[in-house]
Amino acid sequence: MSKQDLKLKSVDSPVEKEGTKSESLTEQLIDQIVSGTYPAGSKISEPELAKHYGVSRGPLREAMMRLESMGLVERIPHVGARVVALSQEKLIEIYAVREALEGMAARLACEHITDEELAALEHLLDTHHQHIEQVEGASYFHQQGDFDFHYRVIKASRNTKLISLLCDELYHLLRMYRYQSQRSHSRPEQALKEHFHLLSALKERDGELAEMLMRRHIMRSRQLIEQQLKQDKEKVS
């Protein structure tokens, strides 16, 4: 190999650099949207973002396309790009999809999860238990604790389509909702107890039980949202 070839190999191509910038920008924007720095329904100015983050329009355009595919940003004709506003009706639909897909993921995880992953899950839940006791459940759902458990179970399914649908398309929408919603929709102590029951089913490699427990676990969260929606409608009427 010539010196010229070595020199060419050692320098990142413009495409690789642009891709890295786009990925980094996507992660930053996800965090800003989830945390509410860019509030739900707020308009997004691409020129202002490009100036703020010091990137060209290429990486920004790619990052915006990724955010759209995740459902965090929507484009409205004659208006432009906006941060999505999640209604409770939309959330109920999302939870219904979650209930079916995560139930399937839990069943598949029983077949594929390793002993090392099970040990890591148990350690994770022990950590969550200590955290809830220290803060009396106040911030469990505002961190990634609850979702981290679900995320790991989904990953353990080894089904790439399920992982894409749940972790890429729904995960950040749910984080956004949980981070910005009222605590009346959360039930940290009960949720953690249900996570431990799920872990037991995974350890037993009981796919049928794991699927049932996961579906029931998510159904209860959906019912809390439905209850809140009903109360809100009664207040209006």
Side-chain angles (χ1 to χ4, degrees):
M1 186 179 289
S2 67
K3 290 183 178 179
Q4 181 65 20
D5 290 334
L6 286 170
K7 184 177 180 181
L8 288 172
K9 283 180 70 64
S10 66
V11 178
D12 291 334
S13 71
V15 174
E16 289 173 333
K17 287 183 177 179
E18 292 287 283
T20 302
K21 285 182 181 179
S22 174
E23 289 172 9
S24 175
L25 179 58
T26 301
E27 291 302 317
Q28 291 181 69
L29 289 172
I30 288 172
D31 288 340
Q32 298 291 327
I33 290 172
V34 167
S35 66
T37 301
Y38 298 124
S42 62
K43 187 174 180 180
I44 296 178
S45 168
E46 293 189 23
E48 288 180 11
L49 285 180
K51 183 178 179 181
H52 178 75
Y53 289 101
V55 296
S56 63
R57 296 297 293 274
L60 177 59
R61 205 171 294 119
E62 189 175 336
M64 291 295 291
M65 288 175 63
R66 289 177 180 172
L67 293 174
E68 284 184 71
S69 71
M70 294 174 185
L72 292 173
V73 169
E74 58 185 352
R75 290 191 181 275
I76 302 173
H78 313 298
V79 176
R82 288 186 181 276
V83 175
V84 69
L86 284 179
S87 67
Q88 288 179 318
E89 288 86 353
K90 284 182 181 178
L91 279 165
I92 290 169
E93 290 181 357
I94 290 172
Y95 270 81
V97 172
R98 261 190 88 194
E99 184 180 327
L101 295 184
E102 286 203 43
M104 185 189 303
R107 174 167 52 81
L108 291 172
C110 285
E111 300 174 18
H112 301 290
I113 196 167
T114 66
D115 291 340
E116 290 77 11
E117 287 172 321
L118 285 169
L121 265 182
E122 186 164 15
H123 176 71
L124 177 73
L125 293 185
D126 287 339
T127 303
H128 290 176
H129 182 249
Q130 293 173 12
H131 177 71
I132 284 179
E133 287 188 335
Q134 290 169 1
V135 301
E136 297 181 350
S139 62
Y140 185 51
F141 286 118
H142 294 282
Q143 304 297 324
Q144 296 186 35
D146 175 60
F147 290 117
D148 197 12
F149 175 81
H150 287 261
Y151 188 84
R152 293 190 191 198
V153 172
I154 294 162
K155 287 284 188 179
S157 75
R158 305 293 192 268
N159 185 296
T160 55
K161 188 61 178 177
L162 271 179
I163 293 168
S164 175
L165 287 169
L166 290 165
C167 297
D168 296 336
E169 296 185 28
L170 296 183
Y171 180 76
H172 297 297
L173 277 172
L174 291 165
R175 281 183 60 214
M176 173 184 172
Y177 163 65
R178 278 286 179 78
Y179 198 102
Q180 300 176 35
S181 70
Q182 299 175 2
R183 283 198 61 225
S184 59
H185 294 168
S186 67
R187 48 192 186 94
E189 293 85 358
Q190 180 63 30
L192 183 60
K193 186 184 296 182
E194 290 168 10
H195 285 172
F196 273 110
H197 291 158
L198 271 161
L199 177 61
S200 296
L202 289 168
K203 285 181 175 180
E204 294 294 326
R205 309 286 177 173
D206 189 335
E208 186 176 346
L209 177 60
E211 180 170 9
M212 183 195 73
L213 290 173
M214 181 65 85
R215 289 182 67 111
R216 186 181 294 169
H217 173 64
I218 295 171
M219 178 189 68
R220 285 171 177 156
S221 295
R222 174 173 54 80
Q223 288 173 338
L224 284 174
I225 300 171
E226 289 174 337
Q227 182 181 355
Q228 185 65 48
L229 178 61
K230 183 180 178 181
Q231 291 173 356
D232 291 344
K233 286 181 177 179
E234 288 175 351
K235 287 179 182 177
V236 172
S237 61

